[in-house]
């Protein structure tokens, strides 16, 4: 995207904003200034994060208060703010039968992006170039989120707003997603609702802790740690900081990766099989196994649990978001039939590594001497 990334970021702030649902105050008289860089909204479910984000992007209108952009109150009837806004909602969807590149071009048309815009740059930036011709319905949540990030930066926005993009991602997917977000962040204002503090740890992030619709604590990481250690926080603030920040840092820590062997963190090898978790590619010896992303995750899950019987539900929820589908047993059996067929094309009996154990589950029947 060239020099467009070098533009100056914009200022966004809110003053005394409130929003009720019936008698419940989802956002209660909130005032905030968002810094250039990362602004992380922290809070348990129901704290008001998503409502606040919907107010920021105009999907909801507050009962009171104002939202300002570059010192001027936002008028939702014109497009000034929308032209510099990128948005990734928590329930992001796209047309299932469109390919990634076709859907990206469709989003560009909706946003009025010039046809001269380089889609390849966006795909490379979000590591989706190898999935350009993959249909949306074949993308697991991790790749769908990457695509969501791709569409959010089509207009080269100065303000990026994301609602819990990391939810339900495993550790490797979180690493990749956070790295991609950091790549597109330069000279932008990012406002992101996130449940784990450590996804963007050791950056000059502005942490905003919400509870019952109110902002109870805000500050930079080093300042908040100092205030906590010095006993300067109230009991409520200290409790939230401990539960939402300190405990997640202690429980969930990114593995240390040697820069000289970065790819090894994303590789899983067993016998002659090799799984690349970064590119969603599987190989047998030097032959690529032509799997869809969901087929790759099912096969990987079986291989990582060698010798253990996995039922359809386990395989299903490991490969996709279960709420999007019905009939998990039927879906998994179809996927596994496709995997076995693709394995058999490489070597006649290779499909036998996956066995159905009396219709109760599937097992990776691995014999190291044979495979």
């Amino acid at each position: 995207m060239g020099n467009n990334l070098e533009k100056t970021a914009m200022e966004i702030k809110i003053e005394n904003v409130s929003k009720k649902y019936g008698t419940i105050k989802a956002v209660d008289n909130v005032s905030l200034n968002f810094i250039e860089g990362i602004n992380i909204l922290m809070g348990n479910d129901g704290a008001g994060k998503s409502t606040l984000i919907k107010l920021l992007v105009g999907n909801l209108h507050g009962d009171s208060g104002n939202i300002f952009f570059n010192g001027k109150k936002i008028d939702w009837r014109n497009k000034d703010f929308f032209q510099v806004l990128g948005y990734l909602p928590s329930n992001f969807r796209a047309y299932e039968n469109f390919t990634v590149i076709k859907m990206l071009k469709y989003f560009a048309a909706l946003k009025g992006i010039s046809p001269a815009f380089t889609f390849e740059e966006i795909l490379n930036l979000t590591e989706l170039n190898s999935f350009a011709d993959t249909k949306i319905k074949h993308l697991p949540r991790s790749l769908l989120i990457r695509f969501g990030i791709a569409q959010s930066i089509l207009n080269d926005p100065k303000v990026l707003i994301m609602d819990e993009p990391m939810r339900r991602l495993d550790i490797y997917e979180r690493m990749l997603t956070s790295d991609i977000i950091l790549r597109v962040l330069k000279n932008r204002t990012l406002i992101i609702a996130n449940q784990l503090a450590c996804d963007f740890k050791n950056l000059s992030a502005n942490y905003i802790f919400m509870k019952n619709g109110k902002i109870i604590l805000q500050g930079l990481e080093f300042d908040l740690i100092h205030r906590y250690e010095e006993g300067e926080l109230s009991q409520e603030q200290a409790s939230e900081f401990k539960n939402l920040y300190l405990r997640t840092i202690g429980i969930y820590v990114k593995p240390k990766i040697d820069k000289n062997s970065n790819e090894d963190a994303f590789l899983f090898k067993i016998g002659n099989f090799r799984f690349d978790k970064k590119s969603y590619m599987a190989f047998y010896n030097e032959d690529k196994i032509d799997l869809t992303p969901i087929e790759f995750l099912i096969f990987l899950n079986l291989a990582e649990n060698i010798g253990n019987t996995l039922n359809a539900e386990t395989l299903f929820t490991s490969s996709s978001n279960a709420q999007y589908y019905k009939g998990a047993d039927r879906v998994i059996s179809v996927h596994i039939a496709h995997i076995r067929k693709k394995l058999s094309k490489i070597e006649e009996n290779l499909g036998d590594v996956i066995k159905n154990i009396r219709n109760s589950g599937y097992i990776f029947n691995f014999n190291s001497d044979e495979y």
Side-chain angles (χ1 to χ4, degrees):
M1 294 188 295
N3 293 328
N4 287 339
L5 289 176
E6 302 301 325
K7 295 177 184 177
T8 304
M10 305 291 183
E11 181 188 38
I12 179 171
K13 71 175 184 176
I14 59 180
E15 285 185 358
N16 307 117
V17 170
S18 295
K19 177 66 180 178
K20 279 186 179 180
Y21 296 114
T23 59
I24 299 173
K25 288 186 177 181
V27 174
D28 189 2
N29 197 34
V30 168
S31 295
L32 279 172
N33 287 331
F34 296 101
I35 67 169
E36 179 180 335
I38 301 179
N39 300 268
I40 305 177
L41 287 169
M42 305 286 295
N44 293 318
D45 289 341
K49 304 187 302 297
S50 290
T51 299
L52 182 59
I53 281 178
K54 289 174 183 177
L55 290 169
L56 286 170
V57 300
N59 282 354
L60 287 176
H61 295 297
D63 300 321
S64 61
N66 297 303
I67 302 176
F68 296 89
F69 168 56
N70 275 1
K72 295 182 179 180
K73 181 181 175 181
I74 294 177
D75 182 355
W76 299 108
R77 295 169 296 181
N78 64 43
K79 297 181 179 180
D80 289 351
F81 182 55
F82 295 112
Q83 288 176 347
V84 297
L85 173 67
Y87 176 46
L88 175 59
S90 61
N91 59 343
F92 177 71
R93 299 285 192 277
Y95 292 131
E96 290 190 343
N97 286 318
F98 277 39
T99 63
V100 166
I101 186 64
K102 184 177 179 181
M103 193 70 229
L104 198 62
K105 290 179 178 179
Y106 181 70
F107 273 121
L110 289 178
K111 296 183 180 186
I113 304 299
S114 168
F117 194 92
T118 306
F119 295 103
E120 286 72 19
E121 286 183 308
I122 295 290
L123 293 176
N124 286 330
L125 197 61
T126 53
E127 298 196 21
L128 284 171
N129 47 323
S130 59
F131 306 105
D133 297 319
T134 301
K135 287 188 175 182
I136 298 295
K137 66 181 179 182
H138 291 146
L139 299 181
R141 177 170 171 78
S142 56
L143 294 186
L144 184 62
I145 292 301
R146 283 198 230 171
F147 176 72
I149 296 171
Q151 65 78 31
S152 75
I153 60 175
L154 275 170
N155 58 331
D156 193 17
K158 295 298 100 188
V159 177
L160 266 175
I161 299 179
M162 301 181 179
D163 192 359
E164 298 206 29
M166 306 292 197
R167 187 185 283 269
R168 296 188 299 274
L169 298 185
D170 68 25
I171 186 170
Y172 291 104
E173 292 163 348
R174 297 185 82 93
M175 290 169 61
L176 284 170
T177 304
S178 63
D179 286 346
I180 288 169
I181 290 173
L182 293 178
R183 283 179 214 161
V184 305
L185 178 61
K186 189 174 182 181
N187 292 332
R188 305 181 197 272
T189 296
L190 172 66
I191 302 169
I192 182 170
N194 209 51
Q195 289 192 326
L196 291 179
C198 54
D199 286 321
F200 302 103
K201 192 177 183 298
N202 295 327
L203 293 174
S204 298
N206 178 32
Y207 287 92
I208 303 161
F209 293 80
M210 292 192 71
K211 184 178 181 181
N212 298 328
K214 294 184 177 182
I215 306 300
I216 65 166
L217 184 63
Q218 179 183 0
L220 301 180
E221 179 182 49
F222 66 88
D223 180 56
L224 292 175
I225 292 174
H226 174 77
R227 291 167 63 191
Y228 177 83
E229 292 176 342
E230 295 298 316
E232 297 176 3
L233 303 182
S234 69
Q235 184 175 352
E236 181 184 42
Q237 290 174 330
S239 177
E240 290 298 293
F241 185 65
K242 179 179 179 181
N243 290 332
L244 296 175
Y245 180 86
L246 294 178
R247 284 184 176 173
T248 61
I249 294 297
I251 294 172
Y252 174 89
V253 179
K254 293 181 183 180
K256 293 181 179 179
I257 301 173
D258 186 341
K259 291 182 179 179
N260 296 322
S261 59
N262 186 44
E263 297 300 320
D264 291 342
F266 300 96
L267 289 178
F268 173 73
K269 298 178 182 179
I270 181 168
N272 295 331
F273 290 96
R274 187 172 83 255
F275 299 83
D276 186 340
K277 298 179 182 180
K278 194 169 186 178
S279 64
Y280 284 67
M281 291 182 183
F283 301 85
Y284 180 71
N285 289 325
E286 297 304 316
D287 294 314
K288 178 186 174 184
I289 307 169
D290 189 23
L291 304 174
T292 66
I294 288 179
E295 289 170 355
F296 170 85
L297 290 173
I298 291 172
F299 192 30
L300 172 64
N301 196 20
L302 279 167
E304 288 182 325
N305 289 276
I306 178 173
N308 296 318
T309 303
L310 298 178
N311 60 32
E313 182 180 0
T314 303
L315 287 169
F316 181 74
T317 54
S318 72
S319 63
S320 61
N321 189 342
Q323 67 175 320
Y324 298 158
Y325 299 89
K326 294 180 180 179
D329 292 298
R330 181 186 63 80
V331 172
I332 288 297
S333 64
V334 170
H335 284 316
I336 287 184
H338 289 165
I339 297 169
R340 294 186 66 177
K341 185 176 180 180
K342 291 172 180 178
L343 289 172
S344 298
K345 284 184 178 180
I346 294 175
E347 196 169 294
E348 185 177 355
N349 298 320
L350 198 58
D352 293 338
V353 296
I354 302 177
K355 289 190 177 294
N356 187 348
I357 308 301
R358 298 180 182 178
N359 296 316
S360 62
Y362 299 89
I363 189 170
F364 189 62
N365 187 43
F366 180 76
N367 184 320
S368 58
D369 296 332
E370 187 175 354
Y371 303 111

